Amino acid sequence: MSISIFDLFKVGIGPSSSHTVGPMNAARSFALGLSEAGLLPQCHRVVAELYGSLGATGAGHGSPKAVILGLEGETPEGVDVGGIAERLDTLRNSGKLHLLGSKTVKFSYDNDLLLHRAESLPFHSNGMRFSAYDTQGEVIYSRVYYSVGGGFILDETAAEGGAVTNVPSVLAHPFGSGAELLARCKDSGLSISALMMENEKAWRSEEDI
């Protein structure tokens, strides 16, 4: 597996990358998919279901708040943490959620955010299902996601294919262990930091890095 250091070490809301960052990313991905499918105007209600470990730990690891914020379009690195409590109170009192900050839909914290403590989805213990409904109560869009650690998520299709990490480019100096890293440095004459810079260019320009 190869991964950028900026994906391995990331800024994000706590307390858990698996239970907070991942669910927020999944919820936002669902909302974006709903919008890209042209179904946002038809959406009247959204239901989020958390399974396995996510359902069992519930609010203790921040998963419910992460899901709500993700549905409203927030990102783990960009959300205003100081305003979260007030936003959640407003949602509870109003029964309304603002999908991607633009489309207002019905949302009951007690009935539309379901924690399945004793049930798991097949691929991973941190499973989630999001469903959008129209005014007739019919499902118009539904997706399953898994939070697989470090804030990374997989949708159901990727999970079935067994792909946990996508490597976009061939690394200049691939390695799979500390010993291999040192050997690559010796062979190339590069320091560890210089070698890592060359590898990071597989994902970003030097200016972005």
Side-chain angles (χ1 to χ4, degrees):
M1 180 181 74
S2 298
I3 186 171
S4 167
I5 196 166
F6 294 103
D7 293 322
L8 184 62
F9 298 101
K10 52 173 71 76
V11 176
I13 186 172
S16 168
S17 60
S18 297
H19 289 228
T20 317
V21 176
M24 185 183 289
N25 286 333
R28 184 171 184 270
S29 178
F30 168 78
L32 289 171
L34 183 67
S35 177
E36 290 166 2
L39 297 171
L40 202 59
Q42 302 174 39
C43 184
H44 178 68
R45 176 188 175 212
V46 170
V47 173
E49 301 175 79
L50 307 183
Y51 293 85
S53 181
L54 294 179
T57 58
H61 281 177
S63 302
K65 71 177 179 182
V67 164
I68 290 170
L69 294 167
L71 289 172
E72 292 199 334
E74 297 288 356
T75 62
E77 66 274 14
V79 65
D80 176 13
V81 295
I84 290 176
E86 182 178 351
R87 287 177 66 172
L88 294 181
D89 286 341
T90 299
L91 179 141
R92 282 178 178 270
N93 294 329
S94 68
K96 296 178 180 179
L97 182 145
H98 307 289
L99 280 172
L100 297 179
S102 60
K103 170 65 176 179
T104 301
V105 299
K106 286 181 56 179
F107 192 85
S108 166
Y109 192 94
D110 295 324
N111 300 319
D112 295 333
L113 186 54
L114 307 177
L115 305 179
H116 300 290
R117 292 176 172 83
E119 185 179 352
S120 296
L121 295 178
F123 177 74
H124 194 280
S125 60
N126 294 333
M128 296 160 276
R129 177 181 286 111
F130 299 93
S131 303
Y133 296 80
D134 62 15
T135 56
Q136 305 302 313
E138 298 293 331
V139 176
I140 58 173
Y141 189 79
S142 184
R143 290 292 184 273
V144 169
Y145 294 91
Y146 297 94
S147 178
V148 295
F152 294 101
I153 59 171
L154 293 177
D155 63 17
E156 197 166 24
T157 302
E160 290 173 352
V164 175
T165 303
N166 291 322
V167 182
S169 306
V170 177
L171 299 184
H173 305 281
F175 61 89
S177 68
E180 288 182 14
L181 169 60
L182 294 177
R184 291 282 184 178
C185 289
K186 182 178 179 180
D187 292 342
S188 65
L190 297 172
S191 65
I192 291 177
S193 60
L195 184 144
M196 292 305 297
M197 171 62 83
E198 292 303 311
N199 280 351
E200 283 297 327
K201 292 178 185 178
W203 290 280
R204 298 170 177 83
S205 68
E206 187 168 349
E207 181 180 355
D208 288 340
I209 296 167

